[in-house]
Amino acid sequence: MHDDVPGRLWAEESQAMVMREISKPTLMTAMTLVLLCDFALQTGQDALAFMLCGCCHSAARLLALDRPMLLSNNGENSKESILAESKRRVLWSCFVLDSIVGSGVNENLRWRDGPPQILLPSSDQTFLSQIPSAEAPLFLPRRSDVSPSSEDLQKYNLRSNLIYLMSIRTRVLRLIRTNPYDGHISGPQSPFMQLLQALEAWGNSISTQLQLTEFSIYVHKELNTLESLFYLHLSYHILICDLTRISIPGFAFPLAAGFRAAPGPFVSHCQDVCRHHAEQVTRILRMMAEHLNPLFSESTTYAATYEATKIMIVYTASLGEQEPDTRMRLKEDIIFNMTVLSEQTRGTLPSRACRALTRLLHRFGFNDIANSSRATSPSRNEDDAGEVSGPPEAFYLSDLAPFRRAYDDVNQNRDRRESAAGSLASSSRHLTQEAPVLRPWSQQIVQPLGALEMPGNQVSTLGDYTHIAGDISNEITWDLFSLPDWVFEQHEMDFGA
């Protein structure tokens, strides 16, 4: 961590304090762990964030934060209510961090069996005023096949909605990493359709105060909660993208195999839904650019922008020469997303995302987009490989996922030239007994990318597109330190210059 990072001294002192109290944690210790874990995520200390996330869960268990609090016979007085609400907020913060850091990988998740069965947080107005409220007690459904009623969703406050979407996020990311189940993926009772319907129900039932309108933007700006409102809707749209992207060739998650036997109209519908919500991410980014400065204050927004842009690139490639208006609109959104990413100066995440997306553009033949900006100085960062989805050896994690970055950071001293599979792919056999055999290094990558481009700067057929998508989904297995210099010289772009 650089010396000029705001909060660095506070974080270092807090870490020292936590280590002194780690054997006998208090509620304040748990609060500090939560803040330190979030700070580590925002400053790119992914390995530290992963370790602290585990400590958060352990502290919450030791302090019994996941158990309903017993109140005195006289009811809940002001002091008790503050303590009870503080405990709830700390626990739900641990739950949210678990979803972010775990990224749907079962081995990394602490709440695999469902969310904690404690009350959701009360509204900020109720908590700060300490005036008794008529708010009904609300919980998250414990069973994965049960969703809140539309009446309950109407009652969810901003914090409760964020927690609910995070619980759905974990379910989505776990589901797409499972093999196809018996029955059709398009069936109304399939887990895929149940999650999609749950997300659509949320979008249709959210309270008026939390809808993204000019009036709500004004109100939340005055309440200093506008960024949270944007993040809420950004999470919703990227969640639907995360779920439906497996219908697009190239996103090689295990559940994607279920679409091979699915009806054509259903597959096309899922692809259109995915594209629509990826476009909505850009729409929200444009609104954020108008109202927020800085635009991004946390790493998950970077990841959402990155994933939505990948989807638009791959979807545009799948169109070929069809639907020119849609292709033009998507290209404009791609350029905007990469521009706002390149304008972010804090940390290395935005530049890594831009380089990976630039490589993806070149691989799909979109040189007109990639070459619309000037090149920056070459870099030999191994995380710059463009890919559609992560390889099985990396648990299909995006190259910006916290655990994948953390794993590579911890193992960065290994000799990456021993294997063409890369640091995570070459050593992840120690993490799972079911890791598939690594693919050999493809010899075609030592050719200039120009030799692989399609005529007319487009992927000519869906078959060509699918072949390229399959190749790119395995690019992370390359040992980039063994590639010739021209690879890095052609793909260092600075969007927004």
Side-chain angles (χ1 to χ4, degrees):
M1 181 169 53
H2 298 295
D3 292 341
D4 59 347
V5 173
R8 177 185 62 84
L9 295 177
W10 173 89
E12 291 176 353
E13 178 59 31
S14 298
Q15 280 183 243
M17 183 199 77
V18 164
M19 293 309 298
R20 291 193 296 267
E21 300 177 358
I22 198 71
S23 61
K24 293 184 179 180
T26 64
L27 182 60
M28 185 62 68
T29 309
M31 290 181 178
T32 306
L33 284 168
V34 166
L35 292 173
L36 284 172
C37 184
D38 182 67
F39 183 78
L41 282 173
Q42 310 317 327
T43 53
Q45 302 176 87
D46 301 293
L48 177 60
F50 184 78
M51 298 298 293
L52 288 173
C53 186
C55 292
C56 288
H57 179 264
S58 298
R61 289 287 297 155
L62 283 174
L63 296 170
L65 302 184
D66 54 351
R67 299 180 186 176
M69 184 177 179
L70 298 177
L71 304 178
S72 64
N73 295 331
N74 297 327
E76 192 173 14
N77 59 38
S78 179
K79 184 176 180 180
E80 285 181 327
S81 66
I82 292 174
L83 179 61
E85 180 66 17
S86 298
K87 288 183 175 182
R88 284 194 289 267
R89 292 191 174 202
V90 170
L91 181 68
W92 286 118
S93 296
C94 295
F95 178 77
V96 169
L97 287 171
D98 184 56
S99 177
I100 294 173
V101 174
S103 298
V105 178
N106 279 337
E107 294 85 347
N108 294 346
L109 293 166
R110 278 80 181 178
W111 277 282
R112 288 189 291 269
D113 298 328
Q117 287 304 285
I118 65 168
L119 289 174
L120 288 165
S122 61
S123 66
D124 286 355
Q125 180 181 3
T126 299
F127 182 47
L128 295 175
S129 67
Q130 288 301 297
I131 298 175
S133 167
E135 289 183 2
L138 295 171
F139 298 83
L140 285 188
R142 181 71 174 179
R143 290 171 48 189
S144 61
D145 59 344
V146 176
S147 299
S149 65
S150 58
E151 291 78 12
D152 283 346
L153 288 174
Q154 285 278 339
K155 299 173 185 175
Y156 278 12
N157 56 49
L158 180 56
R159 290 178 183 271
S160 298
N161 275 293
L162 284 169
I163 292 168
Y164 174 63
L165 288 185
M166 278 297 171
S167 71
I168 295 290
R169 177 183 187 270
T170 298
R171 290 168 56 190
V172 165
L173 296 181
R174 290 181 70 187
L175 177 66
I176 62 176
R177 286 172 168 80
T178 60
N179 293 317
Y181 32 77
D182 295 335
H184 296 292
I185 196 171
S186 58
Q189 299 304 315
S190 72
F192 176 88
M193 287 303 300
Q194 287 182 345
L195 277 175
L196 185 57
Q197 290 165 2
L199 285 167
E200 291 175 344
W202 181 89
N204 295 329
S205 303
I206 188 173
S207 65
T208 305
Q209 296 89 337
L210 296 178
Q211 294 175 7
L212 208 53
T213 63
E214 290 186 8
F215 178 73
S216 65
I217 288 175
Y218 171 78
V219 171
H220 283 274
K221 198 168 188 176
E222 291 297 311
L223 295 173
N224 200 30
T225 55
L226 181 57
E227 186 172 6
S228 297
L229 181 68
F230 282 136
Y231 180 68
L232 177 70
H233 288 270
L234 201 66
S235 299
Y236 163 66
H237 291 295
I238 202 62
L239 259 178
I240 295 187
C241 289
D242 286 340
L243 179 62
T244 56
R245 60 184 166 170
I246 62 174
S247 64
I248 303 175
F251 288 94
F253 292 90
L255 190 61
F259 278 88
R260 295 172 187 166
F266 174 76
V267 176
S268 298
H269 172 71
C270 289
Q271 292 175 351
D272 289 340
V273 167
C274 186
R275 183 262 308 159
H276 168 75
H277 287 277
E279 289 182 291
Q280 293 304 303
V281 169
T282 303
R283 181 181 70 88
I284 294 175
L285 287 175
R286 294 182 189 274
M287 298 171 69
M288 292 171 66
E290 181 180 352
H291 294 282
L292 298 180
N293 186 24
L295 181 60
F296 298 147
S297 63
E298 38 73 37
S299 60
T300 47
T301 306
Y302 291 131
T305 306
Y306 175 61
E307 292 299 329
T309 309
K310 276 202 303 185
I311 287 167
M312 288 189 282
I313 292 172
V314 177
Y315 184 91
T316 304
S318 70
L319 291 177
E321 298 294 338
Q322 303 173 15
E323 303 183 35
D325 292 341
T326 301
R327 285 167 41 221
M328 181 59 65
R329 187 176 67 249
L330 289 173
K331 287 183 178 182
E332 291 174 355
D333 285 347
I334 291 168
I335 292 175
F336 177 83
N337 289 359
M338 296 183 73
T339 299
V340 296
L341 279 172
S342 67
E343 290 173 348
Q344 309 308 307
T345 58
R346 192 180 72 177
T348 61
L349 209 57
S351 59
R352 287 163 62 178
C354 278
R355 287 192 292 267
L357 292 170
T358 300
R359 187 174 187 85
L360 200 60
L361 286 168
H362 276 294
R363 293 290 291 178
F364 278 113
F366 295 126
N367 299 317
D368 54 335
I369 302 177
N371 294 333
S372 63
S373 59
R374 60 181 177 84
T376 60
S377 57
S379 168
R380 293 176 176 266
N381 193 323
E382 69 275 13
D383 294 316
D384 293 346
E387 62 180 15
V388 176
S389 58
E393 297 81 5
F395 308 106
Y396 306 95
L397 288 171
S398 160
D399 43 2
L400 297 190
F403 178 72
R404 185 165 164 183
R405 299 198 311 263
Y407 191 90
D408 276 336
D409 288 343
V410 169
N411 294 277
Q412 63 183 346
N413 293 327
R414 296 190 179 191
D415 187 0
R416 300 178 188 272
R417 297 185 182 183
E418 289 182 353
S419 169
S423 61
L424 179 57
S426 63
S427 55
S428 62
R429 299 175 186 275
H430 301 294
L431 298 181
T432 174
Q433 296 179 352
E434 299 179 355
V437 178
L438 298 178
R439 297 187 181 184
W441 177 32
S442 174
Q443 294 298 319
Q444 69 175 356
I445 64 173
V446 300
Q447 305 172 17
L449 289 181
L452 301 176
E453 294 166 4
M454 295 294 176
N457 204 31
Q458 292 288 341
V459 177
S460 58
T461 67
L462 183 59
D464 293 331
Y465 153 73
T466 305
H467 174 72
I468 292 178
D471 288 343
I472 294 180
S473 68
N474 296 306
E475 281 192 11
I476 196 63
T477 63
W478 299 354
D479 179 4
L480 295 189
F481 283 91
S482 65
L483 297 182
D485 289 341
W486 58 260
V487 172
F488 304 97
E489 293 170 357
Q490 291 191 20
H491 307 299
E492 294 301 324
M493 301 296 172
D494 181 16
F495 281 79

